[in-house]
Amino acid sequence: MDLGGNELGKRSANAMILLSRLFKSPIGDVKQVSEFIGVSYKAANDLVSDFEKLEILQELTGQTRNRVFIFNRYVTLFAGDHN
């Protein structure tokens, strides 16, 4: 995964901001990404799409609107059997 430039181009700085946020809040929607990073909804949606392609985010709802995404690889670290 290259967040430094080749795959995300000029969105790489915002990608790093989003990635750091996902460790604190691993579930959210495009509107939340837009508000947190301070970019337009379209820019946030493009970044979320990039994260989906890189398999960092996974869409949970199966809908085309009001989609919710999860940083699944991170969440599953804590979801194992703890007995």
Side-chain angles (χ1 to χ4, degrees), residues 28-31 41 45 59-69:
D29 60 24
V30 175
K31 183 179 178 195
Y41 185 91
N45 193 52
E59 202 276 326
L60 289 174
T61 63
Q63 301 176 22
T64 56
R65 299 186 71 170
N66 302 316
R67 299 173 301 156
V68 175
F69 299 87

Side-chain angles (χ1 to χ4, degrees), residues 14-35:
N14 286 340
M16 295 303 291
I17 294 168
L18 175 55
L19 185 61
S20 68
R21 177 61 173 206
L22 289 172
F23 286 104
K24 294 179 183 176
S25 183
I27 298 173
D29 60 24
V30 175
K31 183 179 178 195
Q32 291 170 321
V33 171
S34 171
E35 291 170 354

Side-chain angles (χ1 to χ4, degrees), residues 3 7-22 30 33-34 36-57 67 69:
L3 294 181
E7 294 182 43
L8 297 173
K10 26 183 207 180
R11 286 194 290 271
S12 62
N14 286 340
M16 295 303 291
I17 294 168
L18 175 55
L19 185 61
S20 68
R21 177 61 173 206
L22 289 172
V30 175
V33 171
S34 171
F36 177 73
I37 297 176
V39 297
S40 70
Y41 185 91
K42 182 187 179 329
N45 193 52
D46 290 345
L47 186 56
V48 167
S49 292
D50 288 338
F51 272 46
E52 279 188 287
K53 290 175 190 164
L54 292 169
E55 299 180 355
I56 297 169
L57 288 176
R67 299 173 301 156
F69 299 87

